[in-house]
Amino acid sequence: MIKKEIIERESKEAKIHVVWFCISVGSNRIENMDIDVLTSIYSMSELDKKVCVVLTKCDEDDEEGTCANEFKNIIKKQPNDKFKNISIFEVSSDENVNKSIEEECGLQGINKLIETSANMIDDEDIKENFIRGQRNNLELKKNRANKVITVAAAGAAGIGAVPIPFADAVVLVPGQLAMIARITSIYDMDNIASMSKGVVSNLIITQIGKSLASQLLKLIPFGSVVNASVASSITYALGYSISEICYRNSKKILNGEQIDIDNMFNFDEIEKLFEQFMKIGRELNE
């Protein structure tokens, strides 16, 4: 039955990128049906290395994780060789339990589940949407943003391959705004901004876009010409500044703190971060 549904879904071009097979620890037992379904899934080559077993309701287990450990032993002792290296994660609806699972017990918890799942997705657009949609693993979001910044900085270096006057540095702006849009999307800032009267894209255009070619460029003591190194460093610094602001505010939200959404991208704060990251960017491009 499971195989039939998967085959039908695949035939309709609705490709399955990741499978989370969830088993409740709260049930205190693992059923033969669970093993049968897992075996059926693992017999399908198209799902090879795309399956995560997720033990849910771990808050209902004892402090030693007795039930979860028993479940893991049962699964890994199955005769199917693929079960020996299966990825098993322990999660809970209680954030304190999730934190304990990862930090105190050193087990694979919710953050590792999200990270592993993202790595299983081979379509880059779907992977980015998946990272955007999850809330807990901010490091994963930051790493994804870093990749976007790297690509944008390389593109800016290409533009500056033929040195251009500072007065003409506005040619860098479209690429930088596209980079900013992707970074804020990865952190899901547009949904966060929906809680405010402002919209994050408008905030960016108003507070960054119009001043990008003038105010930020005044901070760069490179003389009168923008070359590949300068163009790359500017873009690097701007990207990391925006990412850092998004990261800090996302962390506050996770911690239940209030944030000032309308002033999130305050230019003074961006300027301070820009100067810090500009120094790093220059060192990387030397």
Side-chain angles (χ1 to χ4, degrees):
M1 182 66 177
I2 296 294
K3 287 182 70 172
K4 181 181 178 183
E5 289 184 9
I6 291 174
I7 291 171
E8 288 178 352
R9 186 177 292 270
E10 290 276 342
S11 66
K12 295 176 182 177
E13 298 183 356
K15 182 177 179 181
I16 297 174
H17 297 275
V18 181
V19 174
W20 286 5
F21 188 80
C22 300
I23 304 174
S24 173
V25 168
S27 66
N28 293 318
R29 60 178 297 179
I30 186 167
E31 303 286 349
N32 289 333
M33 184 185 72
D34 294 322
I35 301 300
D36 291 342
V37 172
L38 268 176
T39 302
S40 180
I41 291 173
Y42 265 111
S43 69
M44 304 184 68
S45 59
E46 55 266 49
L47 297 181
D48 189 35
K49 298 180 180 178
K50 292 185 178 292
V51 182
C52 297
V53 174
V54 185
L55 303 183
T56 64
K57 296 188 178 181
C58 288
D59 52 301
E60 297 183 17
D61 206 349
D62 58 29
E63 292 184 1
E64 287 73 32
T66 302
C67 194
N69 289 331
E70 182 181 346
F71 282 17
K72 286 188 282 186
N73 288 332
I74 292 172
I75 293 170
K76 289 183 177 290
K77 286 181 179 179
Q78 295 303 308
N80 190 324
D81 288 338
K82 290 185 177 180
F83 279 43
K84 292 181 174 60
N85 298 316
I86 196 169
S87 298
I88 303 178
F89 305 86
E90 300 174 48
V91 303
S92 167
S93 58
D94 187 325
E95 288 302 318
N96 291 326
V97 174
N98 282 327
K99 188 174 182 180
S100 175
I101 287 171
E102 294 181 327
E103 297 181 6
E104 296 176 21
C105 302
L107 301 172
Q108 295 196 118
I110 185 66
N111 284 324
K112 191 64 179 176
L113 171 62
I114 296 298
E115 180 182 338
T116 301
S117 300
N119 290 334
M120 288 177 173
I121 301 172
D122 48 21
D123 184 294
E124 290 300 314
D125 290 335
I126 294 175
K127 179 183 291 189
E128 192 158 300
N129 285 331
F130 176 80
I131 293 172
R132 168 194 167 107
Q134 65 86 26
R135 300 289 185 187
N136 289 317
N137 196 329
L138 293 181
E139 294 303 321
L140 188 61
K141 288 179 179 285
K142 180 182 281 189
N143 290 338
R144 186 68 184 182
N146 290 350
K147 291 182 180 180
V148 170
I149 294 166
T150 299
V151 172
I159 294 174
V162 177
I164 55 178
F166 267 115
D168 296 331
V170 290
V171 297
L172 298 174
V173 174
Q176 291 169 339
L177 290 180
M179 172 189 68
I180 291 170
R182 282 191 66 187
I183 292 171
T184 53
S185 175
I186 288 167
Y187 285 98
D188 204 23
M189 284 292 119
D190 48 352
N191 280 337
I192 292 174
S194 68
M195 298 181 290
S196 164
K197 294 179 181 178
V199 178
V200 74
S201 58
N202 289 336
L203 287 172
I204 291 171
I205 291 171
T206 301
Q207 298 182 26
I208 302 173
K210 291 181 179 179
S211 58
L212 199 57
S214 55
Q215 290 177 281
L216 287 182
L217 292 175
K218 291 177 183 178
L219 303 174
I220 308 163
F222 282 104
S224 59
V225 175
V226 174
N227 57 26
S229 175
V230 175
S232 176
S233 297
I234 294 170
T235 305
Y236 171 96
L238 179 62
Y240 273 86
S241 299
I242 298 301
S243 179
E244 183 64 21
I245 289 173
C246 291
Y247 179 88
R248 291 178 183 178
N249 283 282
S250 295
K251 196 167 187 177
K252 287 180 180 178
I253 292 171
L254 279 180
N255 293 333
E257 300 176 35
Q258 293 292 321
I259 62 171
D260 185 355
I261 299 170
D262 293 318
N263 292 311
M264 187 185 302
F265 295 97
N266 179 276
F267 186 80
D268 291 337
E269 180 66 17
I270 293 173
E271 182 177 342
K272 292 176 185 176
L273 290 168
F274 183 85
E275 289 178 317
Q276 295 173 21
F277 286 115
M278 191 67 196
K279 292 178 182 178
I280 299 173
R282 291 179 63 185
E283 292 173 358
L284 291 174
N285 284 296
E286 285 181 353

